[in-house]
Amino acid sequence: MTLRDRHLERLRTETFDTLVVGGGINGAVAAASLAGRGAQVAIIDRGDFAHFTSQASSNLVWGGFKYLENYELLLVWKLCRSRNRLMKAYRDNIKQIGFYATLDETSPYKPWFAGLGSFGYWIIGMFGTKRPRVLSTEHIEREEPAINTSKALGGIEYYDGILVDNDARFVFSFVRAAIDAGAAAANYVEMVSAVRSGGQWSVQLRDVDTGEEFSTTARTIVNAAGPFVDEVNQEWGLTTDHRIVYSKGIHLVVPRLTTTEHHKVLAFFDDSQRLFYVIPMGRRSVIGTTDTRVDTPFTEVNDDDIDFLLGQINARMDLPAPLTRGDIIAERCGVRPLVVKRRSGDHSDVDWTKLSRKHAIETDRTRGVVTVFGGKLTDCINVGEEIAAAIEGLGVPLEPDLHNWYGEPAPATRDEFYRQARLMQLDRYRAKAETEPLTDRLWRRYGRQAFTMLDAIREDPRMAEDIMGSADYLRVELHAAARTEMVTRLEDFMRRRSKIDLVVHDDDIAESAGLAEVAEILFGAEAERRLAEYFGGADRIPAAVRAGLGRTGTD
């Protein structure tokens, strides 16, 4: 029985204090916070965990420097506080990084004024990062030669945080923490209906993967459906003071535009005087994001989006050749669920670009529902704590918050892992250039589970081999994912538990015979079906991949 099967059985047979609907960052931290404080919790998502908005972020953990221009000082302080807590709790997963902003004649601020803002930001952030600095044009030319300084007046450098891996994997770490604390969790489970009676909810669920319907019961519900919170509340007949509006943002993943020695986020003002970034992602760069008002959470990248970003970056960087569509390795697209007060009208008078990523939490005490609107990855700890307080206010007893429901294992545990890895010379198994040591990677991604991986590699050194050469993923990681990460479809692994789909070109994936082994490790006898699902049909499985089926365990 797989991990998911075991948790589906729990949903069928147990009664919970709280059912969390939605497995994005808000739902994940809600489940982790509640389970970590002793509540009986279940979390479901009709897709994979983090499959919607939470997989389309900029992978940044930041305090909202741009919100200073709207004088949202309290929001910036709260976000900086949460950023500092996250960076302290996830020292290996979140690293401090410089934001290197170039200002030219069309920028809304002069370098000296932006410099004052950066120092104010540093102070509001309680000196939680390195000291900012003002840059002359000469500084920029010397330190970041890829930047076009022909129109530059200077710039600033300030600091925030960045996720070393990807946002969706970080979200899953909270789901994993909730499971470790006793929560039931299942992806691809859809809520069909919910009825409140006798002080508890009876919820009809459907397994999206198999079509089976079943029911579960819970005293309270957390509506953490992200862009769909209003839709869910409407189904229940709930009225709230807030609602969600949508802003679409896209990113383009391209080959690395700066050298690995220049590990900074490059920031520019686009032609509409909105900030956009060039964000490092290993051997790739991520360009974005845009900000477009839309009326639906279902969006996609269009030609105008691509042309806009390519034009902006080509005008601001000295590249060996202008970026073209042929350079795009992957696209990311999602909506920001922005919070507004519910009122008459269509909010056409709202300046979309100035709406912040604040969150709001409302409680319906009669129905036993807590709804979380908006938010962002940086603010996740605050959201988790506030949801726990709201659920406790509904009569669910919780243990004191010891702040141990989030964060990486203790330093002593980390030291012991590094000691064992050093003794077995783990890093000698890696021969690739420009890749991090295996010790760092396994610890960051898996924490305590990485000890089991050391045992597996000691027993069989082939476990330390890459399965897909261009993807940089070990065989032992695939076996761990199959056991512990509730990978239901191949896309779950390729896009969210890993970032292979983001950094490896589609052509390289299609030519990888190793992808067949990936599928066989993850899905066993269902490997071919899951490959067909991933590629859009059995007849569309690439020949190189199909040729690898049935060869697991061989080179």
Side-chain angles (χ1 to χ4, degrees):
M1 181 179 287
T2 67
L3 176 64
R4 182 172 180 270
D5 289 337
R6 292 197 298 272
H7 283 257
L8 287 173
E9 183 62 22
R10 291 187 58 191
L11 286 169
R12 296 185 191 96
T13 58
E14 297 181 18
T15 297
F16 300 94
D17 294 320
T18 302
L19 171 66
V20 179
V21 179
I25 186 60
N26 289 339
V29 296
S33 176
L34 290 167
R37 295 181 60 185
Q40 295 297 309
V41 179
I43 177 173
I44 60 170
D45 196 292
R46 64 184 177 186
D48 187 26
F49 300 114
H51 81 287
F52 211 78
T53 293
S54 292
Q55 71 170 6
S57 80
S58 297
N59 286 329
L60 300 174
V61 177
W62 50 1
F65 180 67
K66 66 180 181 179
Y67 301 148
L68 290 178
E69 66 179 353
N70 297 328
Y71 305 105
E72 297 186 79
L73 302 184
L74 180 60
L75 174 63
V76 173
W77 179 80
K78 288 181 177 179
L79 289 175
C80 284
R81 178 174 174 266
S82 188
R83 175 203 65 192
N84 295 348
R85 294 173 71 189
L86 282 173
M87 289 173 63
K88 182 178 180 180
Y90 295 92
R91 294 184 184 276
D92 289 297
N93 281 274
I94 301 174
K95 298 293 187 181
Q96 190 173 164
I97 192 169
F99 281 63
Y100 206 86
T102 302
L103 304 170
D104 60 26
E105 299 164 351
T106 64
S107 300
Y109 308 108
K110 302 296 184 184
W112 68 267
F113 189 76
L116 288 177
S118 67
F119 274 89
Y121 183 63
W122 182 53
I123 293 169
I124 292 172
M126 298 165 286
F127 314 103
T129 62
K130 293 179 182 178
R131 182 187 180 104
R133 60 186 178 128
V134 178
L135 307 169
S136 66
T137 303
E138 290 73 24
H139 274 120
I140 298 172
E141 290 175 347
R142 182 173 63 253
E143 297 173 357
E144 291 292 345
I147 296 175
N148 183 345
T149 59
S150 61
K151 297 181 180 179
L153 300 177
I156 60 170
E157 184 177 28
Y158 64 95
Y159 292 85
D160 267 314
I162 188 170
L163 289 169
V164 179
D165 286 307
N166 56 321
D167 44 12
R169 182 162 190 87
F170 187 68
V171 171
F172 185 77
S173 72
F174 287 102
V175 177
R176 181 77 251 177
I179 292 173
D180 290 344
N187 51 0
Y188 297 99
V189 172
E190 181 179 29
M191 183 180 64
V192 177
S193 63
V195 178
R196 180 81 172 175
S197 177
Q200 72 176 16
W201 286 93
S202 177
V203 184
Q204 188 72 9
L205 303 175
R206 184 173 72 91
D207 183 340
V208 175
D209 195 51
T210 65
E212 176 201 0
E213 290 196 7
F214 57 95
S215 63
T216 194
T217 55
R219 292 173 58 188
T220 61
I221 290 180
V222 172
N223 178 1
F228 306 99
V229 291
D230 294 326
E231 174 186 309
V232 172
N233 281 338
Q234 186 176 11
E235 291 177 4
W236 296 335
L238 298 184
T239 301
T240 57
D241 294 332
H242 296 85
R243 60 169 291 221
I244 291 297
V245 294
Y246 310 114
S247 171
K248 183 182 83 169
I250 78 154
H251 297 89
L252 303 178
V253 183
V254 298
R256 185 72 179 247
L257 300 183
T258 59
T259 64
T260 53
E261 291 78 16
H262 294 88
H263 190 69
K264 303 176 189 292
V265 175
L266 305 186
F268 305 94
F269 281 97
D270 64 26
D271 291 344
S272 64
Q273 296 195 335
R274 186 183 185 279
L275 281 169
F276 77 101
Y277 305 93
V278 178
I279 304 164
M281 182 187 279
R283 292 171 287 174
R284 310 301 185 200
S285 290
V286 182
I287 306 170
T289 178
T290 58
D291 195 347
T292 309
R293 177 179 177 175
V294 291
D295 296 322
T296 173
F298 298 101
T299 59
E300 60 184 16
V301 179
N302 59 41
D303 290 342
D304 289 342
D305 297 327
I306 295 173
D307 291 341
F308 177 79
L309 280 181
L310 292 180
Q312 297 300 310
I313 200 63
N314 284 331
R316 288 162 177 80
M317 294 191 70
D318 280 327
L319 302 174
L323 285 178
T324 67
R325 291 171 181 267
D327 294 307
I328 298 173
I329 297 167
E331 302 166 352
R332 310 180 80 189
C333 182
V335 291
R336 306 171 185 88
L338 304 173
V339 185
V340 296
K341 282 283 190 178
R342 189 180 294 277
R343 62 181 185 181
S344 60
D346 64 356
H347 295 88
S348 59
D349 58 333
V350 173
D351 185 345
W352 236 239
T353 64
K354 292 185 178 180
L355 282 177
S356 61
R357 296 292 301 279
K358 63 185 178 182
H359 69 270
I361 292 175
E362 292 192 38
T363 302
D364 187 311
R365 297 186 179 279
T366 303
R367 307 291 295 279
V369 175
V370 174
T371 303
V372 53
F373 299 87
K376 59 187 295 181
L377 189 149
T378 305
D379 211 18
C380 63
I381 293 179
N382 292 336
V383 170
E385 291 173 341
E386 291 173 29
I387 290 175
I391 290 294
E392 193 169 30
L394 291 175
V396 176
L398 299 179
E399 298 170 0
D401 189 355
L402 301 179
H403 307 290
N404 57 359
W405 55 270
Y406 62 90
E408 296 171 354
T413 307
R414 182 186 191 277
D415 291 344
E416 175 58 21
F417 174 79
Y418 272 73
R419 186 187 73 84
Q420 292 191 26
R422 184 177 66 254
L423 290 175
M424 65 179 288
Q425 299 182 324
L426 176 66
D427 292 335
R428 290 196 176 185
Y429 287 89
R430 168 51 51 89
K432 286 184 177 180
E434 296 186 352
T435 56
E436 66 180 329
L438 286 180
T439 305
D440 294 342
R441 191 174 90 195
L442 295 185
W443 173 256
R444 184 184 68 251
R445 290 180 179 173
Y446 306 102
R448 292 184 185 88
Q449 295 181 43
F451 285 97
T452 304
M453 294 182 175
L454 295 186
D455 291 339
I457 293 171
R458 291 188 190 101
E459 184 175 337
D460 181 1
R462 294 181 68 256
M463 285 291 179
E465 295 175 356
D466 281 324
I467 290 184
M468 297 173 62
S470 57
D472 196 28
Y473 233 82
L474 304 186
R475 188 171 281 110
V476 71
E477 294 179 88
L478 266 298
H479 284 279
R483 291 193 313 272
T484 67
E485 296 192 352
M486 213 170 286
V487 177
T488 304
R489 299 180 180 178
L490 186 54
E491 182 195 352
D492 303 341
F493 173 75
M494 297 291 286
R495 176 64 177 82
R496 287 176 287 276
R497 305 300 183 274
S498 76
K499 54 187 178 186
I500 294 172
D501 269 351
L502 292 176
V503 298
V504 179
H505 198 281
D506 288 348
D507 291 344
D508 293 330
I509 291 174
E511 293 172 2
S512 174
L515 184 59
E517 184 179 354
V518 168
E520 288 176 334
I521 292 173
L522 291 174
F523 307 114
E526 287 201 329
E528 186 170 357
R529 180 169 80 88
R530 295 304 186 183
L531 283 166
E533 185 178 62
Y534 177 71
F535 285 107
D539 59 336
R540 301 182 66 178
I541 298 175
V545 176
R546 184 175 291 281
L549 287 170
R551 296 175 58 190
T552 299
T554 65
D555 292 324

